[in-house]
Amino acid sequence: MSATPELIFRSDMTVELVRAAARDEDVVFAARVSTAGEQTLETVNDDAAQSTGLINFLMRDRHGSPFEHNSFTFYVQAPIFVFREFMRHRIASYNEESGRYREMRPVFYVPGPERKLKQVGKAGAYRFEDGTPEQFALVDENVREVCAAAFESYQSMLNAGVAREVARIVLPLNLYSSMYVTMNARSLMNFLSLRTARENTKFPSFPQREIEMVAEQMEAEFERLMPLTYAAFNANGRVAP
Ligand SMILES: Cc1cc2nc3c(=O)[nH]c(=O)nc-3n(C[C@H](O)[C@H](O)[C@H](O)COP(=O)(O)OP(=O)(O)OC[C@H]3O[C@@H](n4cnc5c(N)ncnc54)[C@H](O)[C@@H]3O)c2cc1C
């Protein structure tokens, strides 16, 4: 019989850029091949202002395919309920840790004090407001209690020789999982347009805060690696081309 490991409660998300081949030049290169053929490679860096203008034009007129010739691979740790939303984004490649092949670690999400707890407004356009200290304590206490009970059940079934894939069914959606996800900039912009709430958007979205916490970290890497594309994305209402 193995000893029950100590439960860990987290309120943050991990996003690490593992690998990237992503530059604004790749967008310009791909776009110019349609008019300049094989000479494009030499002309990519000729005129920065022209490149900026071209990227902006592509974004504005939604010529999307030049934004596909690049790649971002992220390692993400987030609760399973976030992964459920994340994996709805089909234009990406995923590999996630397995609850069948390894024992799940007792790492659970609990909302931090800055997480707004009260939902107001109409469906599809909710606003969230701070919870009272009593509401926060209630959430915190219930999350911890349920996770402890669920993990104890999980362990007792494992200890009794029940298969991991069966025992895991009692674990809650706030259990952390981990995955690699690879996307290109076009798909990433689609993801960011839907999974961040911003005022300067043409089509405002109202994502769950926890997936937005992941998206914000991905966005920072996108901005760092493809600053012209990122600027054009924002200047054109954060609409994926
Ligand atoms: C705020 C919010 C609330 C949501 N609520 C719900 C909900 O209540 N229930 C629910 O089920 N989902 C919900 N979703 C998920 C949503 O419907 C999408 O599945 C998710 O956002 C992925 O978007 P996507 O299809 O554009 O992304 P991707 O799958 O990455 O696709 C990118 C683009 O590729 C194209 N594409 C991909 N696959 C196809 C296809 N099969 N046919 C045609 N074009 C395709 C589309 O142009 C698409 O925009 C919600 C999403 C958000 C942001």
Side-chain angles (χ1 to χ4, degrees):
M1 232 159 103
S2 59
T4 306
E6 201 177 321
L7 270 56
I8 297 171
F9 289 92
R10 293 176 55 179
S11 305
D12 65 319
M13 310 292 156
T14 298
V15 176
E16 287 167 19
L17 184 72
V18 179
R19 190 175 303 115
R23 303 173 309 164
D24 290 318
E25 289 91 324
D26 299 327
V27 179
V28 176
F29 176 77
R32 285 195 184 148
V33 81
S34 64
T35 53
E38 72 239 20
Q39 289 169 7
T40 53
L41 196 53
E42 289 84 61
T43 60
V44 163
N45 294 315
D46 278 1
D47 185 340
Q50 213 177 7
S51 295
T52 304
L54 177 58
I55 288 176
N56 198 56
F57 156 75
L58 296 169
M59 194 75 71
R60 191 195 65 208
D61 286 15
R62 303 194 65 212
H63 294 293
S65 54
F67 297 100
E68 296 173 8
H69 301 275
N70 53 74
S71 165
F72 297 78
T73 298
F74 297 99
Y75 170 71
V76 183
Q77 285 180 356
I80 290 171
F81 71 85
V82 169
F83 279 13
R84 271 191 70 168
E85 294 186 346
F86 202 130
M87 288 179 177
R88 297 301 305 280
H89 293 263
R90 294 156 291 181
I91 312 301
S93 302
Y94 298 98
N95 280 96
E96 184 183 0
E97 71 176 80
S98 169
R100 298 182 66 204
Y101 301 131
R102 62 175 294 183
E103 195 174 318
M104 305 306 285
R105 284 157 302 177
V107 183
F108 298 96
Y109 174 75
V110 63
E114 67 293 335
R115 179 29 163 129
K116 294 182 187 306
L117 295 179
K118 277 195 288 195
Q119 180 178 300
V120 288
K122 58 182 188 328
Y126 295 120
R127 277 185 300 109
F128 287 83
E129 294 176 354
D130 288 334
T132 61
E134 292 74 23
Q135 285 172 326
F136 179 75
L138 184 71
V139 170
D140 193 73
E141 190 184 316
N142 275 282
V143 168
R144 287 171 194 270
E145 256 178 43
V146 167
C147 293
F151 203 74
E152 202 181 314
S153 297
Y154 176 64
Q155 289 268 295
S156 72
M157 285 188 269
L158 293 182
N159 288 337
V162 174
R164 286 184 291 263
E165 68 182 37
V166 176
R168 69 166 171 177
I169 67 176
V170 296
L171 295 173
L173 291 177
N174 68 330
L175 185 78
Y176 273 76
S177 187
S178 60
M179 68 170 175
Y180 280 99
V181 53
T182 300
M183 290 177 156
N184 63 43
R186 186 181 192 184
S187 187
L188 180 56
M189 286 187 274
N190 184 59
F191 179 84
L192 296 176
S193 72
L194 292 167
R195 301 302 182 178
T196 58
R198 295 290 165 84
E199 286 183 353
N200 59 337
T201 55
K202 204 159 180 180
F203 305 104
S205 191
F206 302 91
Q208 170 135 3
R209 177 59 192 147
E210 285 78 9
I211 195 168
E212 188 181 37
M213 290 161 70
V214 173
E216 285 170 353
Q217 295 184 60
M218 293 165 66
E219 179 161 348
E221 296 294 351
F222 177 41
E223 178 179 18
R224 185 173 67 82
L225 292 173
M226 299 183 75
L228 298 182
T229 304
Y230 180 71
F233 173 56
N234 278 305
N236 289 280
R238 293 172 71 88
V239 179

